[in-house]
Amino acid sequence: MNPSSAKAGDKVTVRAPDADCNPRYGQNASIQVTVTDATSVAVINTTAPMNDAGGFIYSFEVPAQMAAGEAAVTAIPFNIDWCDDTGKNNRADGAAATLQRASCVTPMKPLSITR
């Protein structure tokens, strides 16, 4: 994520490289990006395109109403069973994913919001 500190109106870019393990998310895959401010208010909760290998780039402008302090930025594959504890890629065979996310920690990056 760049930058790691921003103020209202600044542009922040969240990105991830392609995975090395060939996750095969599909051609219409999306990433869900949530930005929660220091008061635990979700000021951004959206989806953006993600490629088949999990790579993505999403940029946003820091909202004016965002509270100063340490915010949290999370990005997880949208509507995909990405952590079922079986070690098997349940998307690879084209079957609908019926399992729910279990015991995985949501990846989070801190974003310091200043005035």
Side-chain angles (χ1 to χ4, degrees):
M1 185 174 61
N2 188 23
S4 60
S5 180
K7 62 183 183 300
D10 286 352
K11 181 179 173 182
V12 176
T13 300
V14 181
R15 69 179 67 221
D18 291 353
D20 293 331
C21 64
N22 190 19
R24 299 196 294 191
Y25 288 113
Q27 64 181 350
N28 297 317
S30 296
I31 190 80
Q32 182 172 9
V33 179
T34 305
V35 181
T36 306
D37 73 11
T39 64
S40 298
V41 172
V43 295
I44 294 173
N45 186 4
T46 192
T47 58
M50 176 177 71
N51 69 28
D52 185 53
F56 71 90
I57 298 174
Y58 173 74
S59 295
F60 65 93
E61 189 174 291
V62 174
Q65 78 274 17
M66 197 163 175
E70 188 168 302
V73 178
T74 62
I76 59 173
F78 176 71
N79 202 26
I80 292 177
D81 166 36
W82 61 277
C83 183
D84 69 1
D85 295 337
T86 66
K88 177 183 174 199
N89 182 337
N90 292 297
R91 296 168 307 282
D93 63 7
T98 58
L99 301 175
Q100 297 296 315
R101 185 169 39 154
S103 76
C104 287
V105 176
T106 301
M108 187 276 300
K109 294 289 185 183
L111 173 62
S112 179
I113 301 298
T114 60
R115 294 283 174 229

